[in-house]
């Protein structure tokens, strides 16, 4: 089952107990932590910077940290998050004037590189950078807030990205972010995603392990 990754989004965690919450979801069976970085400029919300990523590492979090930059610009933060212990760094193509350079910067600093596509962003931006990507993140809500409803057109987009990845014979992960729940995770997997980011669906329930194991059961049925 490790070819399907479940990533709780810390955006819906209790920020006053972030270290404990991160530990709890990993103990509950999550594969990675998803950290949403918002700058009140690229998106209308403000969250955390590299200090918080570093604090999670100092607290003892060893699990991979998947950093989702919803900031503009991105290059300085790429370097700072790499130093702060990020595993993956993903940004939105609209937020960098030089997408190719920003992607290269992520790998130069020892992290895996991702591009995040908003609901209205076309797949054209992937065309000349496929070999520089470790993951493609399909946004199934408009970025900025947790707890929004999954936009159904994301399913067709995921399928098209899966075809693209297969036709290039690459091992690029396809992540989906926004409105992922136990009820739709199977359908999202069938469309072609293999990395599932879920915030409110996990953190708004009292038993994280139960939600994650239900998600794994749904993924097993979707095969
Ligand atoms: C939205 C963030 C998501 C968000 C998902 O901008 O990128 O990671 O936390 O939250 P849910 O799963 O509640 O839609
Ligand atoms: Zn995110």
């Amino acid at each position: 089952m490790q070819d399907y990754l479940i990533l709780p989004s810390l955006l819906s965690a209790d920020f006053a107990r972030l270290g404990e919450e991160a530990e709890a979801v990993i103990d509950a069976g999550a594969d990675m932590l998803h950290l949403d970085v918002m700058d009140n400029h690229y998106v209308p919300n403000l969250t955390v910077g590299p200090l918080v990523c570093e604090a999670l590492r100092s607290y003892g979090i060893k699990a991979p940290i998947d950093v989702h930059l919803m900031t503009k610009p991105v290059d300085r933060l790429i370097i700072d998050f790499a130093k702060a212990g990020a595993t993956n760094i993903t940004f939105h193509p609209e937020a960098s004037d030089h997408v190719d350079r920003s992607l290269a910067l992520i790998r130069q600093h020892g992290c895996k590189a991702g591009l995040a596509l908003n609901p209205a962003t076309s797949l054209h931006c992937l065309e000349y950078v496929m070999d520089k990507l470790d993951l493609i993140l399909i946004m199934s809500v408009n970025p900025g807030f947790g707890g929004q409803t999954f936009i159904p057109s994301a399913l067709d987009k995921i399928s098209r990205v899966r075809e693209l990845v297969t036709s290039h014979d690459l091992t690029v992960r396809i992540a989906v972010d926004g409105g992922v729940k136990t009820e739709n995770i199977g359908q999202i997997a069938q469309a072609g995603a293999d990395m599932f980011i879920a915030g409110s669906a996990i953190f708004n329930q009292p038993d994280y392990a139960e939600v994650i194991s239900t998600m794994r059961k749904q993924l097993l049925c979707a095969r």
Side-chain angles (χ1 to χ4, degrees):
M1 275 307 281
Q2 277 318 102
D3 53 338
Y4 282 142
L5 303 178
I6 295 178
L7 292 84
S9 162
L10 292 173
L11 187 63
S12 292
D14 178 353
F15 269 52
R17 299 186 302 107
L18 202 59
E20 281 169 51
E21 290 271 73
E23 202 166 40
V25 280
I26 293 300
D27 289 348
D31 298 294
M32 260 187 218
L33 299 165
H34 181 82
L35 189 63
D36 287 303
V37 180
M38 304 184 183
D39 68 350
N40 189 41
H41 168 68
Y42 180 66
V43 289
N45 199 356
L46 186 64
T47 59
V48 299
L51 272 179
V52 173
C53 186
E54 205 179 331
L56 288 170
R57 290 297 185 214
S58 306
Y59 180 81
I61 300 296
K62 302 267 185 290
I65 300 180
D66 178 61
V67 171
H68 178 188
L69 292 182
M70 285 159 278
T71 68
K72 188 177 182 170
V74 297
D75 289 359
R76 242 257 333 259
L77 287 174
I78 286 171
I79 298 168
D80 292 350
F81 270 101
K83 288 183 183 157
T87 310
N88 305 335
I89 303 179
T90 297
F91 64 92
H92 291 249
E94 299 87 348
S96 173
D97 287 333
H98 304 285
V99 170
D100 182 276
R101 181 187 289 154
S102 300
L103 286 172
L105 197 61
I106 297 174
R107 285 188 173 171
Q108 272 163 28
H109 284 81
C111 297
K112 294 205 163 161
L115 268 187
L117 308 189
N118 285 333
T121 301
S122 101
L123 302 185
H124 294 306
C125 61
L126 301 174
E127 195 174 353
Y128 293 103
V129 293
M130 285 299 283
D131 60 327
K132 296 201 166 65
L133 292 172
D134 298 296
L135 72 104
I136 298 165
L137 185 155
I138 305 302
M139 288 302 301
S140 38
V141 297
N142 285 292
F145 303 95
Q148 302 180 78
T149 306
F150 186 89
I151 297 173
S153 62
L155 290 173
D156 177 56
K157 202 172 195 177
I158 293 164
S159 308
R160 289 173 59 199
V161 174
R162 175 53 67 197
E163 281 167 24
L164 202 64
V165 168
T166 308
S167 70
H168 280 74
D169 201 21
L170 293 168
T171 47
V172 179
R173 287 261 175 204
I174 302 175
V176 63
D177 188 5
V180 177
K181 315 241 167 268
T182 53
E183 293 80 13
N184 61 9
I185 196 167
Q187 206 186 359
I188 298 166
Q190 274 165 355
D194 57 11
M195 214 169 139
F196 307 87
I197 296 154
S200 51
I202 296 174
F203 285 104
N204 290 2
Q205 295 300 320
D207 188 341
Y208 305 158
E210 194 182 309
V211 184
I212 293 170
S213 89
T214 306
M215 285 179 165
R216 292 220 192 269
K217 277 181 206 139
Q218 297 296 332
L219 290 172
L220 208 56
C221 295
R223 277 174 181 272

